[in-house]
Structures are given as structure tokens and as C-alpha cells.
Amino acid sequence: MGEQCVGSLLMSSASDPLAPLGSLPGVAESVDSVRKAVDRVYGHRVMRRRSGEITSEAALRGARGSAALSGADWALEEVRRRTDFGAEAEARTVGAALRLTAEAGQLLSIWRQSPLRVLARLHLVASGSTEAGDVVGRPRLAGEAVDEPLVELPLPSAEEVAGRLDGLSRLIIAGGSAPALITGAVVHGELLALRPFGSYNGLVARAAERIVLINSGLDPKAICPSEAGHAEQGREAYLAAFEGYVSGTPEGMAAWIAHCGRAIELGVRESTAVCEALQRGAA
């Protein structure tokens, strides 16, 4: 398939360009496994009366996981305790992840109409007041640097970024039959591959995946923090799976989708543990 063909898939004139991904080896099984896991946690008795608490805790754990993948691997209690996130680089990363997680829920109604506007807003929120000038909240231009220490793959040109972002936007606006897992994995992988902004691309990519999972109806209460699951699998496994996405091969794409599915299931496990703790009166 190749990376260029991944971009071609997104810019395809087909009415449902992501549909073929559902027939890749193991993808249907991943989709089914994710749906069953999500249904189980939504059926937990604690969810009927304390879902707001589960959502809040999932947001915190998701932000911690996303920050960990971007190099700020703090203990959950440290993230919970801290109030100042403006000092050193790791603190700024954690603060950005927390702001993104909070902001994502406010952008759901805009996502399907104007995904590029949402992505710009996510970068603006992640950057906070630490970056000045007109580079914040817009895709990079030719010659502009990108600070993304996690991903060391060659950067696509600004022209390619613009074209593929447009294709991604049209794909989201058009909708389609692809399950949320597949759409979320493609949005996440594409943004990480493009690194369209000067900074915080990983955090923005994972926040966008969160928006897809919530907005699709798979996880409407935002209690399945895939970011926590991505972090639990480790940075090495994350990057290996992501390289499969970038390769564009059927095997690589299937491996990336399966990795994202496992991340959701691990996020479900986190929230299930929170439900059990609340049920026991331990939290």
C-alpha cells in the first residue's frame, strides 16, 4: 500500500474510503473485541449512578498516558496533586495533555462540520501561553521546524501536509461505515505521520482519536481512555505499531489498528478498576 497510498486512500473519491480497512486480517476481530469490552464497562452497575466520576477519572488517566508517551511519564498521583504546570518542559507537557483532555469534550459538535478548525483549536490549547507568534493553531509552512521528539521519521512536506489534511477533513465530514476503531486509528496515525504543527503533535493526535471515539457513539461518556492504553503498551510498542501505519502495507495497517484496539481495551480495564473501587467504597 505504501505511505503515499495511505494519503491517496484518504483523498480518494470513493464514497467510503476506509471501508476496505475492515477486511484486513484481524481487524474485524479487533473491532468486535473492542465493542464487547466497551459494552461490559458501560453495563457496570456503578455506571448507572456515578458515571460522572468515572468520566473525570478517565480524563485524568488519559492525560497522564498521553503525556507519558510524549516524554513526561509522571505517576498518576503526581498528576493529580500538581497545580503548577508552567515550569519545566515535562510539566508543560503534562499541563498540555490535561488541557487537551478537558477541551476535547467541548469540540464534539464542531468535529463533524469542521475538523481542521478543531485541530487548530487543539494545538492552540496544548500550546497555552508558552508559544508566541502566528505558528500556534495552524499547520506548518515550508521550512518551519517541528519539535516532536518521539517520532524521528522524515517529515512530509508542508504541501503534502496541506493536501492530506484536506483529505482527512473531507473524510470526516462525509462520514462512512467504518467502525470507530478504524476511523480513530487512521485519524491518530495520519496526524502523527504528518506532524502538521510545530509542537505537541502526539498529544493532538491522541486527543483527536479520543474525539472520534466519543463522537462516534462507541464511548459517548468518555470512560475508555485509549491514551492510557497506548501508554501501558509502552513507547517501543507504540512506535513499532505506528511504523506499520506509515508503511501503508496491509499487515502494517492491520497491526496499527489492532494496537489502537488494544489501547481502548486497556483503557476499559482502567475504568473497570475505578468502577470496582467505587463499588467497594475505596475511592
Side-chain angles (χ1 to χ4, degrees), residues 236-278:
E236 184 176 338
Y238 181 73
L239 288 175
F242 170 63
E243 287 178 5
Y245 177 86
V246 172
S247 76
T249 64
E251 297 80 10
M253 292 293 290
W256 171 247
I257 293 168
H259 185 88
C260 290
R262 180 60 178 157
I264 298 170
E265 292 185 51
L266 290 170
V268 166
R269 190 173 72 179
E270 290 263 327
S271 288
T272 301
V274 173
C275 287
E276 295 295 330
L278 288 171

Short mmCIF file of all heavy atoms in Angstrom, two decimals, residues 236-278:
data_model
loop_
_atom_site.label_atom_id
_atom_site.label_comp_id
_atom_site.label_asym_id
_atom_site.label_seq_id
_atom_site.Cartn_x
_atom_site.Cartn_y
_atom_site.Cartn_z
N GLU A 236 7.91 1.80 22.98
CA GLU A 236 8.52 0.98 21.93
C GLU A 236 7.46 0.30 21.09
O GLU A 236 7.53 0.29 19.85
CB GLU A 236 9.47 -0.05 22.56
CG GLU A 236 10.23 -0.88 21.55
CD GLU A 236 11.23 -1.82 22.20
OE1 GLU A 236 11.65 -1.58 23.35
OE2 GLU A 236 11.60 -2.82 21.54
N ALA A 237 6.46 -0.28 21.75
CA ALA A 237 5.39 -0.95 21.02
C ALA A 237 4.55 0.06 20.24
O ALA A 237 4.10 -0.22 19.12
CB ALA A 237 4.50 -1.73 22.00
N TYR A 238 4.35 1.22 20.82
CA TYR A 238 3.60 2.30 20.16
C TYR A 238 4.28 2.69 18.85
O TYR A 238 3.65 2.77 17.80
CB TYR A 238 3.51 3.47 21.12
CG TYR A 238 2.75 4.69 20.63
CD1 TYR A 238 1.36 4.69 20.53
CD2 TYR A 238 3.42 5.87 20.34
CE1 TYR A 238 0.66 5.83 20.13
CE2 TYR A 238 2.74 7.01 19.93
CZ TYR A 238 1.36 6.98 19.84
OH TYR A 238 0.68 8.11 19.44
N LEU A 239 5.59 2.92 18.92
CA LEU A 239 6.33 3.34 17.74
C LEU A 239 6.41 2.23 16.70
O LEU A 239 6.33 2.49 15.49
CB LEU A 239 7.73 3.80 18.13
CG LEU A 239 7.78 5.14 18.86
CD1 LEU A 239 9.20 5.45 19.31
CD2 LEU A 239 7.25 6.27 17.98
N ALA A 240 6.55 0.99 17.16
CA ALA A 240 6.60 -0.13 16.22
C ALA A 240 5.28 -0.25 15.46
O ALA A 240 5.25 -0.45 14.24
CB ALA A 240 6.92 -1.43 16.96
N ALA A 241 4.17 -0.12 16.18
CA ALA A 241 2.86 -0.19 15.53
C ALA A 241 2.66 1.00 14.60
O ALA A 241 2.13 0.86 13.49
CB ALA A 241 1.76 -0.24 16.58
N PHE A 242 3.10 2.17 15.03
CA PHE A 242 2.97 3.36 14.20
C PHE A 242 3.77 3.24 12.91
O PHE A 242 3.31 3.67 11.84
CB PHE A 242 3.42 4.59 14.99
CG PHE A 242 3.55 5.83 14.15
CD1 PHE A 242 2.44 6.38 13.53
CD2 PHE A 242 4.78 6.45 13.99
CE1 PHE A 242 2.57 7.52 12.73
CE2 PHE A 242 4.92 7.58 13.20
CZ PHE A 242 3.81 8.12 12.58
N GLU A 243 4.93 2.64 12.98
CA GLU A 243 5.72 2.42 11.76
C GLU A 243 4.97 1.53 10.78
O GLU A 243 5.12 1.65 9.56
CB GLU A 243 7.08 1.85 12.11
CG GLU A 243 8.01 2.88 12.75
CD GLU A 243 9.36 2.31 13.14
OE1 GLU A 243 9.63 1.13 12.84
OE2 GLU A 243 10.16 3.05 13.75
N GLY A 244 4.14 0.62 11.32
CA GLY A 244 3.28 -0.18 10.45
C GLY A 244 2.28 0.69 9.71
O GLY A 244 2.02 0.49 8.52
N TYR A 245 1.72 1.68 10.43
CA TYR A 245 0.81 2.62 9.76
C TYR A 245 1.52 3.37 8.65
O TYR A 245 1.03 3.48 7.52
CB TYR A 245 0.22 3.61 10.76
CG TYR A 245 -0.67 4.64 10.09
CD1 TYR A 245 -2.01 4.37 9.87
CD2 TYR A 245 -0.16 5.86 9.64
CE1 TYR A 245 -2.83 5.28 9.21
CE2 TYR A 245 -0.96 6.77 8.98
CZ TYR A 245 -2.30 6.48 8.78
OH TYR A 245 -3.10 7.38 8.10
N VAL A 246 2.70 3.88 8.97
CA VAL A 246 3.44 4.69 8.00
C VAL A 246 3.84 3.85 6.78
O VAL A 246 3.86 4.34 5.65
CB VAL A 246 4.68 5.32 8.66
CG1 VAL A 246 5.58 6.00 7.63
CG2 VAL A 246 4.27 6.32 9.73
N SER A 247 4.12 2.57 7.00
CA SER A 247 4.49 1.70 5.88
C SER A 247 3.37 1.57 4.88
O SER A 247 3.59 1.39 3.68
CB SER A 247 4.87 0.30 6.39
OG SER A 247 3.71 -0.45 6.73
N GLY A 248 2.13 1.65 5.36
CA GLY A 248 0.97 1.55 4.49
C GLY A 248 0.68 0.16 3.98
O GLY A 248 -0.25 -0.03 3.20
N THR A 249 1.46 -0.84 4.40
CA THR A 249 1.20 -2.20 3.96
C THR A 249 -0.06 -2.73 4.65
O THR A 249 -0.40 -2.27 5.74
CB THR A 249 2.38 -3.12 4.29
OG1 THR A 249 2.50 -3.20 5.72
CG2 THR A 249 3.67 -2.61 3.68
N PRO A 250 -0.74 -3.70 4.05
CA PRO A 250 -1.91 -4.27 4.73
C PRO A 250 -1.57 -4.80 6.12
O PRO A 250 -2.33 -4.60 7.07
CB PRO A 250 -2.34 -5.41 3.79
CG PRO A 250 -1.88 -4.96 2.44
CD PRO A 250 -0.57 -4.25 2.68
N GLU A 251 -0.42 -5.47 6.24
CA GLU A 251 -0.01 -6.02 7.55
C GLU A 251 0.26 -4.90 8.54
O GLU A 251 -0.12 -4.97 9.71
CB GLU A 251 1.23 -6.89 7.39
CG GLU A 251 1.05 -8.11 6.52
CD GLU A 251 1.11 -7.82 5.03
OE1 GLU A 251 1.49 -6.68 4.65
OE2 GLU A 251 0.75 -8.73 4.25
N GLY A 252 0.94 -3.85 8.07
CA GLY A 252 1.25 -2.73 8.95
C GLY A 252 0.02 -1.98 9.40
O GLY A 252 -0.11 -1.62 10.58
N MET A 253 -0.90 -1.73 8.47
CA MET A 253 -2.14 -1.05 8.83
C MET A 253 -2.95 -1.87 9.81
O MET A 253 -3.51 -1.34 10.78
CB MET A 253 -2.96 -0.77 7.57
CG MET A 253 -2.35 0.24 6.62
SD MET A 253 -2.30 1.91 7.29
CE MET A 253 -4.04 2.33 7.30
N ALA A 254 -3.04 -3.17 9.56
CA ALA A 254 -3.79 -4.05 10.46
C ALA A 254 -3.16 -4.06 11.85
O ALA A 254 -3.88 -4.06 12.87
CB ALA A 254 -3.84 -5.47 9.89
N ALA A 255 -1.83 -4.07 11.91
CA ALA A 255 -1.14 -4.08 13.21
C ALA A 255 -1.40 -2.78 13.97
O ALA A 255 -1.59 -2.79 15.19
CB ALA A 255 0.36 -4.28 13.00
N TRP A 256 -1.43 -1.65 13.27
CA TRP A 256 -1.69 -0.37 13.93
C TRP A 256 -3.13 -0.32 14.44
O TRP A 256 -3.38 0.11 15.59
CB TRP A 256 -1.45 0.78 12.94
CG TRP A 256 -1.89 2.13 13.43
CD1 TRP A 256 -2.90 2.89 12.93
CD2 TRP A 256 -1.33 2.89 14.52
NE1 TRP A 256 -3.02 4.07 13.63
CE2 TRP A 256 -2.07 4.10 14.61
CE3 TRP A 256 -0.29 2.66 15.43
CZ2 TRP A 256 -1.78 5.07 15.58
CZ3 TRP A 256 -0.01 3.63 16.39
CH2 TRP A 256 -0.75 4.82 16.46
N ILE A 257 -4.08 -0.78 13.65
CA ILE A 257 -5.48 -0.78 14.09
C ILE A 257 -5.64 -1.71 15.30
O ILE A 257 -6.33 -1.37 16.28
CB ILE A 257 -6.41 -1.20 12.94
CG1 ILE A 257 -6.39 -0.13 11.85
CG2 ILE A 257 -7.84 -1.42 13.45
CD1 ILE A 257 -7.05 -0.56 10.54
N ALA A 258 -4.99 -2.87 15.26
CA ALA A 258 -5.07 -3.80 16.40
C ALA A 258 -4.45 -3.18 17.65
O ALA A 258 -4.96 -3.36 18.76
CB ALA A 258 -4.37 -5.11 16.05
N HIS A 259 -3.34 -2.46 17.47
CA HIS A 259 -2.69 -1.80 18.60
C HIS A 259 -3.63 -0.76 19.22
O HIS A 259 -3.76 -0.67 20.45
CB HIS A 259 -1.40 -1.12 18.13
CG HIS A 259 -0.59 -0.52 19.23
ND1 HIS A 259 0.36 -1.22 19.95
CD2 HIS A 259 -0.61 0.73 19.77
CE1 HIS A 259 0.89 -0.43 20.85
NE2 HIS A 259 0.33 0.76 20.77
N CYS A 260 -4.31 0.01 18.37
CA CYS A 260 -5.25 1.01 18.87
C CYS A 260 -6.44 0.34 19.56
O CYS A 260 -6.95 0.84 20.56
CB CYS A 260 -5.73 1.89 17.72
SG CYS A 260 -4.46 3.00 17.07
N GLY A 261 -6.86 -0.81 19.03
CA GLY A 261 -7.94 -1.54 19.68
C GLY A 261 -7.54 -2.03 21.06
O GLY A 261 -8.31 -1.94 22.02
N ARG A 262 -6.32 -2.54 21.15
CA ARG A 262 -5.83 -3.00 22.45
C ARG A 262 -5.73 -1.83 23.42
O ARG A 262 -6.01 -1.99 24.62
CB ARG A 262 -4.46 -3.67 22.26
CG ARG A 262 -3.83 -4.20 23.54
CD ARG A 262 -4.69 -5.25 24.22
NE ARG A 262 -4.06 -5.78 25.41
CZ ARG A 262 -4.71 -6.35 26.42
NH1 ARG A 262 -6.04 -6.47 26.36
NH2 ARG A 262 -4.07 -6.82 27.47
N ALA A 263 -5.37 -0.66 22.92
CA ALA A 263 -5.29 0.52 23.79
C ALA A 263 -6.65 0.86 24.39
O ALA A 263 -6.77 1.20 25.57
CB ALA A 263 -4.75 1.71 23.00
N ILE A 264 -7.69 0.77 23.56
CA ILE A 264 -9.04 1.03 24.08
C ILE A 264 -9.41 0.00 25.14
O ILE A 264 -9.96 0.34 26.19
CB ILE A 264 -10.06 1.02 22.93
CG1 ILE A 264 -9.76 2.13 21.93
CG2 ILE A 264 -11.49 1.17 23.49
CD1 ILE A 264 -10.58 2.05 20.65
N GLU A 265 -9.10 -1.27 24.87
CA GLU A 265 -9.43 -2.32 25.83
C GLU A 265 -8.70 -2.12 27.15
O GLU A 265 -9.26 -2.36 28.24
CB GLU A 265 -9.12 -3.68 25.24
CG GLU A 265 -10.03 -4.06 24.07
CD GLU A 265 -9.77 -5.47 23.57
OE1 GLU A 265 -9.76 -6.40 24.39
OE2 GLU A 265 -9.55 -5.63 22.35
N LEU A 266 -7.46 -1.67 27.09
CA LEU A 266 -6.72 -1.39 28.32
C LEU A 266 -7.29 -0.17 29.03
O LEU A 266 -7.31 -0.11 30.26
CB LEU A 266 -5.24 -1.18 28.01
CG LEU A 266 -4.48 -2.44 27.59
CD1 LEU A 266 -3.08 -2.09 27.08
CD2 LEU A 266 -4.38 -3.44 28.74
N GLY A 267 -7.77 0.80 28.26
CA GLY A 267 -8.47 1.93 28.87
C GLY A 267 -9.75 1.48 29.57
O GLY A 267 -10.08 1.97 30.65
N VAL A 268 -10.45 0.55 28.95
CA VAL A 268 -11.64 -0.03 29.57
C VAL A 268 -11.26 -0.70 30.89
O VAL A 268 -11.97 -0.56 31.90
CB VAL A 268 -12.30 -1.05 28.62
CG1 VAL A 268 -13.32 -1.92 29.37
CG2 VAL A 268 -12.96 -0.34 27.45
N ARG A 269 -10.15 -1.41 30.89
CA ARG A 269 -9.72 -2.08 32.12
C ARG A 269 -9.45 -1.08 33.23
O ARG A 269 -9.79 -1.32 34.40
CB ARG A 269 -8.47 -2.92 31.83
CG ARG A 269 -8.08 -3.84 32.98
CD ARG A 269 -6.96 -4.76 32.61
NE ARG A 269 -5.69 -4.06 32.50
CZ ARG A 269 -4.53 -4.66 32.19
NH1 ARG A 269 -4.52 -5.96 31.94
NH2 ARG A 269 -3.42 -3.97 32.12
N GLU A 270 -8.86 0.07 32.87
CA GLU A 270 -8.61 1.12 33.86
C GLU A 270 -9.93 1.58 34.49
O GLU A 270 -10.04 1.70 35.71
CB GLU A 270 -7.92 2.32 33.19
CG GLU A 270 -6.50 2.07 32.78
CD GLU A 270 -5.50 2.57 33.80
OE1 GLU A 270 -5.76 3.59 34.46
OE2 GLU A 270 -4.45 1.92 33.94
N SER A 271 -10.90 1.87 33.64
CA SER A 271 -12.17 2.38 34.16
C SER A 271 -12.96 1.32 34.89
O SER A 271 -13.70 1.63 35.84
CB SER A 271 -13.00 2.98 33.02
OG SER A 271 -12.43 4.21 32.60
N THR A 272 -12.82 0.08 34.47
CA THR A 272 -13.47 -1.02 35.21
C THR A 272 -12.90 -1.11 36.63
O THR A 272 -13.65 -1.30 37.60
CB THR A 272 -13.28 -2.35 34.47
OG1 THR A 272 -13.85 -2.26 33.16
CG2 THR A 272 -13.95 -3.49 35.23
N ALA A 273 -11.60 -0.94 36.77
CA ALA A 273 -10.97 -0.97 38.08
C ALA A 273 -11.48 0.19 38.94
O ALA A 273 -11.69 0.04 40.15
CB ALA A 273 -9.46 -0.89 37.95
N VAL A 274 -11.69 1.35 38.31
CA VAL A 274 -12.24 2.50 39.05
C VAL A 274 -13.65 2.19 39.51
O VAL A 274 -14.03 2.47 40.66
CB VAL A 274 -12.20 3.77 38.18
CG1 VAL A 274 -12.92 4.93 38.89
CG2 VAL A 274 -10.76 4.18 37.86
N CYS A 275 -14.45 1.59 38.63
CA CYS A 275 -15.81 1.20 39.00
C CYS A 275 -15.81 0.25 40.20
O CYS A 275 -16.60 0.40 41.14
CB CYS A 275 -16.51 0.52 37.82
SG CYS A 275 -17.02 1.62 36.48
N GLU A 276 -14.91 -0.73 40.14
CA GLU A 276 -14.84 -1.70 41.24
C GLU A 276 -14.43 -1.03 42.54
O GLU A 276 -14.95 -1.35 43.61
CB GLU A 276 -13.84 -2.81 40.88
CG GLU A 276 -14.25 -3.67 39.68
CD GLU A 276 -15.51 -4.47 39.95
OE1 GLU A 276 -15.75 -4.83 41.12
OE2 GLU A 276 -16.26 -4.74 39.00
N ALA A 277 -13.49 -0.08 42.46
CA ALA A 277 -13.04 0.63 43.66
C ALA A 277 -14.19 1.46 44.24
O ALA A 277 -14.39 1.50 45.47
CB ALA A 277 -11.85 1.53 43.34
N LEU A 278 -14.93 2.14 43.38
CA LEU A 278 -16.07 2.92 43.86
C LEU A 278 -17.13 2.02 44.48
O LEU A 278 -17.74 2.35 45.51
CB LEU A 278 -16.69 3.71 42.70
CG LEU A 278 -15.87 4.91 42.19
CD1 LEU A 278 -16.49 5.45 40.91
CD2 LEU A 278 -15.79 6.00 43.26
#
